[in-house]
């Protein structure tokens, strides 16, 4: 009987840990999803701008020295905007995969 009590206590402790880990992960995921939803408009704007005629005109103006020296211009590079867009896409695909795993686990 004493071993039964030990097993029960260990099981409850393990399940309490599972509860805490699950709750924390769900909260973090909810916060990340909310942040991505909040950023959707910015992501759409960046996607439409990158590689557009305006983007090429702005790059050309930069190359001609027609922009203020203190203007941040990371968006006019080729790599950084591309990496951000690809990263957002990969994160969205990973979120779909995780959602499928979670739903199948329940």
């Amino acid at each position: 009987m004493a071993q039964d009590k030990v097993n029960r206590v260990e099981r409850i402790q393990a399940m309490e840990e599972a509860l805490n880990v699950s709750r924390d992960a769900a909260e973090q995921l909810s916060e990340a999803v909310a942040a991505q939803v909040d950023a959707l408009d910015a992501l759409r704007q960046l996607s439409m701008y990158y590689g557009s005629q305006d983007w090429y005109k702005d790059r050309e103006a930069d190359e001609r020295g027609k922009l203020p020296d203190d203007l941040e211009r990371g968006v006019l590079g080729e790599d950084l905007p591309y990496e951000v867009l690809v990263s957002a896409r990969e994160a969205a695909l990973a979120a779909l995969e995780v959602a499928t795993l979670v739903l199948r686990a329940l």
Side-chain angles (χ1 to χ4, degrees):
M1 202 72 155
Q3 184 61 36
D4 204 29
K5 183 178 180 182
V6 169
N7 290 343
R8 179 171 290 117
V9 168
E10 289 175 354
R11 182 176 54 245
I12 291 169
Q13 288 172 333
M15 291 304 102
E16 188 69 19
E17 177 65 16
L19 171 74
N20 292 334
V21 167
S22 299
R23 181 191 61 229
D24 292 347
E27 287 174 3
Q28 290 173 6
L29 181 58
S30 292
E31 291 171 6
V33 167
Q36 190 61 56
V37 168
D38 290 345
L40 277 178
D41 189 47
L43 186 63
R44 282 188 195 109
Q45 289 176 10
L46 178 61
S47 180
M48 291 175 66
Y49 176 69
Y50 179 66
S52 70
Q53 287 182 359
D54 284 341
W55 182 76
Y56 281 107
K57 289 177 185 176
D58 294 345
R59 278 178 53 106
E60 186 178 311
D62 184 36
E63 290 168 0
R64 290 184 186 173
K66 297 191 177 217
L67 298 177
D69 290 339
D70 61 346
L71 178 67
E72 291 186 34
R73 53 179 52 82
V75 73
L76 298 179
E78 292 183 19
D79 294 338
L80 187 57
Y82 177 80
E83 289 171 6
V84 168
L85 294 171
V86 168
S87 177
R89 183 180 188 279
E90 289 175 356
L93 288 172
L96 283 173
E97 291 174 7
V98 168
T100 301
L101 291 172
V102 169
L103 291 172
R104 287 187 176 154
L106 300 177

